[in-house]
Amino acid sequence: MELTSVEHDYLDVVARHPEGLRLTDLAERMKVSKASASAMAAKLEARGYLERGPALEDRRASLLRATPKTIALETEENAVHARAAASLAAALSDEERRQFELLLGKACRGLDSA
């Protein structure tokens, strides 16, 4: 695999902000120091997943943006997730699917509070 799960997490955050994201905002969203976010952004930029460009409102500031390489990766991942969800849904009855969604939601809420 070319990317680690942490690298994917960084790319997911940046990809959700097509207008661009300041490094400090990325660090805040990832719950890491600005230095850690900067190191990861530099690594992903060197590999062609992120690009830096000027902020429109402040030309001195720079924004991180997803590259077409990242957007293609996100599109591929979304398709894989959709196929997996469809396969899972096809294997369960309507009642089993409702019960599964209820239990999964409960488990996810438990993770959020951990």
Side-chain angles (χ1 to χ4, degrees), residues 4-77:
T4 68
S5 61
V6 172
E7 290 168 336
H8 274 282
D9 291 344
Y10 273 85
L11 293 178
D12 286 342
V13 169
V14 175
R16 280 190 229 119
H17 296 87
E19 72 285 357
L21 192 63
R22 291 180 187 269
L23 185 62
T24 53
D25 294 329
L26 177 61
E28 182 180 306
R29 284 171 174 77
M30 294 302 298
K31 297 180 177 26
V32 298
S33 69
K34 188 175 174 182
S36 292
S38 179
M40 182 62 80
K43 180 179 176 182
L44 293 169
E45 183 179 18
R47 292 168 61 196
Y49 288 100
L50 295 180
E51 61 187 11
R52 293 176 199 258
L56 296 178
E57 71 282 355
D58 180 358
R59 307 286 287 169
R60 295 170 295 166
S62 65
L63 297 177
L64 296 167
R65 291 183 180 86
T67 64
K69 184 176 181 178
T70 294
I71 294 165
L73 179 66
E74 293 279 320
T75 300
E76 181 183 333
E77 284 185 350

